[in-house]
Amino acid sequence: MITLSNVKKSFGDNHVLRGVDLEIARGTSMVIIGGSGTGKSVALKCVLGLVTPDSGVIMVDGQDAAKAERDAFLARFGMLFQGGALFDSLPVWQNVAFRLMRGALKRPKDEAREIAIEKLRRVGLKADVADRLPAELSGGMQKRVGLARAIAAEPEIIFFDEPTTGLDPIMSGVINDLIREIVVEMGATAMTITHDMSSVRAIADHVAMLHDGVIQWTGPVGDMDNAGDPYLDQFIHGRANGPIESVR
Amino acid sequence: MSLLLNPLAVLGAATLGMLAALGRISIYGFSTLRHMFRRPFYVKELGIALMQVGWLSLPVVGLTAIFTGGALALQIYAGGARFNAEAVVPQIVAIGMVRELGPVLVGLMIAARVTSSIAAEIATMKVTEQIDALVTLSTHPMQYLTVPRVLAGLICVPILVGVGDIIGILGGYAVATGTLGFNASTYIVNTVDFLELRDVFSSLAKGAVFGVIATLMGCYYGMNSGRGAQGVGAATKGSVEAAAILILAANFVLTGVFFSV
C-alpha cells in the first residue's frame, strides 16, 4: 500500500501541494486526474524521491519512503515517463534492459537482451526494433519502449506519467489497453497521472482528483460520473464554466 | 547618493553571487570525488568518455598547437631581432609552449569542445527527464555521468597537453628551420638542453587540473540546467565561460606555485 499523509511542496511562492492525503491499496490501479500545473507530477515524483516534500509522510508498505535504502526502494518501482525519457545514446534493447545490465539485478548480456526482446514483444514491438536508436522510432513506439523498460525488472509498483500525451486516439487506446493488461497480469500496484479521460476509464480501479494542492475527490472509477462533486463534474465533462477557473 | 551606492550594490551582489556559485561548484566537486571511490564503477562509460575527451580532441589540439608554435617562432625571431637575440628562438618556443601556451591553449580548446558538449548533452538529458529516469533505474547520475567524464578529463588532458607541447615545438621547429634559416640539429639540441624536468611536470600538472575543471564545469552546468531549449543554451554558454575563466585563474595560481622565486 502507498500512503501519502499531508504532503506539502512549494517552489518559492508557488504552493503546489498543500496537504495531499491519498491511499493506494496493493494491487490496485489508482489514476490521479487534475488540470495542467496542479501538481500531479510533483506528487508522483515525491513518492519516488525525485522531489523532496517540504513536509508530510509517504509510506510504501509501511516503510517511510524518506528513510528507505534508496537502491532497494527504487528496485520495487517501474516508471513510464511522459516523453519516454529513453537514453538517446543506447539502442532500444539496452534501454529496456538498463536495470538488468547493472547493479543488484545484473544479468549476463545475452540473457538481458533476451528479456528485453521478450518485453518488447509484450508491448507489441518486433525484435528488429531492438537494435535501433530511440530517435529512429515514432512517438507511439517510444512510449511502448518506455513501457517495456518500466516492466523489464517485473516491479511491484508501476508509475505512469501522462502515458497517452501526444499520441493519436488509436495509439492512445492501444497504450491504455496495454497498461491495463500488464498491470492485471503482473498484479502490480499502479499509479497513473493523466488528464485524458479515456485513459482514466480504461486504466483506473480508483480515481483521485487533485485540485488546488489537495485531493478534491477520490473513489472507485464507477462512482466518478455520479459523484456530485462540482470540481470533478466540470473536469470529467471538460466544461469551461464551473468552480475550476478556465484561465489559470 | 543612491546613484553613488547603486554601483556598489550591484558589485556587492555580483561578488556574492560569484562566491555562492563557487561554493556550489566546490560542493559538486567534493561530491564527485566522493563518488569516484564508490561502487559500481561504470567502466564502459569511462571508455566512451576517454574516447570523447581524449582521442577525438587530438585533431583540434594538434592543429592549435602547430599553428601556435609556428607563430611563436616568427614572433620571437622578429622581436628578438630588435636586440640581436634571434638565436633564442628554440629556447623561448620550448619554454613558451611547455610552460604556458601548451597547457592554456589545450585547456581552452577542451573547454570549447568538450565542456560545451558535456553540458549540452547532460542538460538535454535533464530537460527530457533522462536524469530522473536514471534515478528510477537505481543508477546514481553522479556515478554514471559525472565520474567517468571527470576521470577522463583527469587522465586525457595531461596527455593532450604533452602531445600539444611536442607538436607546438615541432611547429616552431618547422618555421625556424624552413624559413628562418636555423640549423635543424642545433635547434633540437637547444630545445632539449634548455627544458627542465620541472617545466614538463608543471605542464602536465596544469593539464590535469584544467581537464578536471573543463569536465566538471560541463557536468555541473548540465545537471543544473533550466527548462527547455533556452535552459540547455544557457547551461552550455555558462559552462564554457566558467571553464575558461577558471582555467585561466588556475593557470595564474599554478604558475605562481611552480615558478615563483
Side-chain angles (χ1 to χ4, degrees):
Chain A
M1 177 185 281
I2 303 172
T3 313
L4 286 81
S5 306
N6 200 24
V7 174
K8 294 180 182 174
K9 180 67 191 177
S10 301
F11 297 97
D13 294 334
N14 183 14
H15 305 295
V16 180
L17 304 180
R18 296 166 184 262
V20 170
D21 293 294
L22 188 65
E23 277 190 6
I24 305 168
R26 183 189 272 261
T28 62
S29 173
M30 167 66 81
V31 175
I32 302 178
I33 56 174
S36 302
T38 51
K40 303 187 297 294
S41 292
V42 175
L44 187 146
K45 286 182 178 179
C46 281
V47 179
L48 287 167
L50 297 172
V51 172
T52 310
D54 297 334
S55 63
V57 179
I58 297 167
M59 306 287 279
V60 178
D61 290 337
Q63 190 181 27
D64 189 338
K67 293 173 186 159
E69 201 274 310
R70 292 304 294 161
D71 281 357
F73 179 76
L74 288 168
R76 303 178 61 191
F77 288 85
M79 165 108 184
L80 170 61
F81 285 86
Q82 187 174 344
L86 301 176
F87 305 122
D88 308 317
S89 55
L90 300 179
V92 163
W93 81 266
Q94 286 189 26
N95 266 282
V96 175
F98 192 89
R99 194 172 233 157
L100 307 174
M101 294 175 73
R102 36 186 74 73
L105 300 173
K106 189 171 179 177
R107 319 268 172 102
K109 196 176 173 183
D110 289 347
E111 193 185 327
R113 184 181 163 91
E114 219 166 272
I115 295 171
I117 289 174
E118 188 234 311
K119 297 296 175 192
L120 286 170
R121 278 208 195 95
R122 179 65 196 87
V123 298
L125 291 171
K126 290 179 185 162
D128 62 2
V129 169
D131 293 311
R132 290 206 224 159
L133 287 170
E136 296 168 333
L137 307 180
S138 68
M141 288 166 99
Q142 287 188 13
K143 275 269 160 83
R144 290 188 202 209
V145 174
L147 185 55
R149 185 173 68 181
I151 61 170
E154 314 231 324
E156 299 161 49
I157 304 161
I158 315 177
F159 286 178
F160 304 97
D161 185 0
E162 308 274 10
T164 55
T165 299
L167 301 180
D168 65 65
I170 295 168
M171 188 50 69
S172 295
V174 169
I175 295 288
N176 286 336
D177 292 346
L178 265 175
I179 289 175
R180 186 68 206 175
E181 280 169 31
I182 285 168
V183 168
V184 170
E185 182 180 296
M186 291 173 65
T189 306
M191 180 169 157
T192 307
I193 59 173
T194 185
H195 40 222
D196 176 355
M197 290 314 297
S198 63
S199 288
V200 178
R201 294 179 198 284
I203 297 171
D205 293 322
H206 289 84
V207 178
M209 181 175 176
L210 186 63
H211 178 70
D212 209 16
V214 294
I215 298 295
Q216 184 68 35
W217 181 87
T218 184
V221 65
D223 295 353
M224 186 173 66
D225 291 310
N226 302 309
D229 183 278
Y231 291 89
L232 182 68
D233 208 42
Q234 183 189 352
F235 187 84
I236 62 179
H237 293 105
R239 283 196 289 264
N241 298 319
I244 304 172
E245 290 173 31
S246 53
V247 180
R248 277 167 277 140
Chain B
M1 190 66 181
S2 66
L3 266 178
L4 186 69
L5 287 178
N6 264 348
L8 291 176
V10 169
L11 186 68
T15 309
L16 284 176
M18 203 174 75
L19 289 174
L22 265 179
R24 285 193 295 272
I25 289 168
S26 303
I27 291 168
Y28 190 84
F30 282 120
S31 180
T32 305
L33 187 65
R34 218 157 27 89
H35 281 91
M36 275 181 190
F37 302 101
R38 280 194 189 169
R39 287 175 178 276
F41 304 112
Y42 294 106
V43 179
K44 189 181 164 197
E45 279 64 36
L46 176 62
I48 294 169
L50 287 170
M51 283 292 287
Q52 293 286 346
V53 177
W55 181 249
L56 296 176
S57 296
L58 268 175
V60 171
V61 165
L63 287 170
T64 306
I66 201 159
F67 290 127
T68 305
L72 194 59
L74 288 173
Q75 287 281 17
I76 292 161
Y77 187 79
R82 293 179 192 171
F83 45 95
N84 298 321
E86 300 95 325
V88 295
V89 168
Q91 292 90 335
I92 304 295
V93 166
I95 207 167
M97 280 309 301
V98 173
R99 280 189 178 194
E100 195 65 27
L101 287 172
V104 169
L105 286 176
V106 169
L108 292 177
M109 292 314 289
I110 293 296
R113 186 187 174 276
V114 174
T115 308
S116 58
S117 131
I118 291 175
E121 184 185 0
I122 295 181
T124 306
M125 287 182 77
K126 191 178 178 207
V127 168
T128 54
E129 294 187 299
Q130 291 178 52
I131 305 283
D132 284 347
L134 275 179
V135 176
T136 63
L137 293 164
S138 307
T139 303
H140 201 299
M142 186 68 96
Q143 271 170 290
Y144 186 74
L145 296 173
T146 305
V147 167
R149 286 164 172 78
V150 173
L151 274 178
L154 180 70
I155 295 166
C156 289
V157 180
I159 298 170
L160 288 172
V161 167
V163 171
D165 290 347
I166 294 167
I167 294 177
I169 289 170
L170 284 177
Y173 166 86
V175 170
T177 55
T179 63
L180 304 176
F182 279 78
N183 176 275
S185 56
T186 313
Y187 191 100
I188 292 168
V189 169
N190 282 345
T191 300
V192 173
D193 283 352
F194 191 71
L195 278 178
E196 293 175 7
L197 195 62
R198 187 172 61 149
D199 300 326
V200 178
F201 177 75
S202 75
S203 188
L204 303 184
K206 281 181 176 181
V209 173
F210 299 166
V212 169
I213 290 173
T215 47
L216 195 67
M217 288 305 99
C219 296
Y220 172 80
Y221 277 85
M223 290 283 194
N224 291 286
S225 110
R227 290 180 178 186
Q230 204 173 17
V232 176
T236 310
K237 179 172 70 86
S239 70
V240 176
E241 284 172 356
I245 289 166
L246 285 177
I247 283 170
L248 293 172
N251 179 57
F252 173 70
V253 172
L254 290 173
T255 303
V257 169
F258 284 116
F259 302 110
S260 60
V261 183

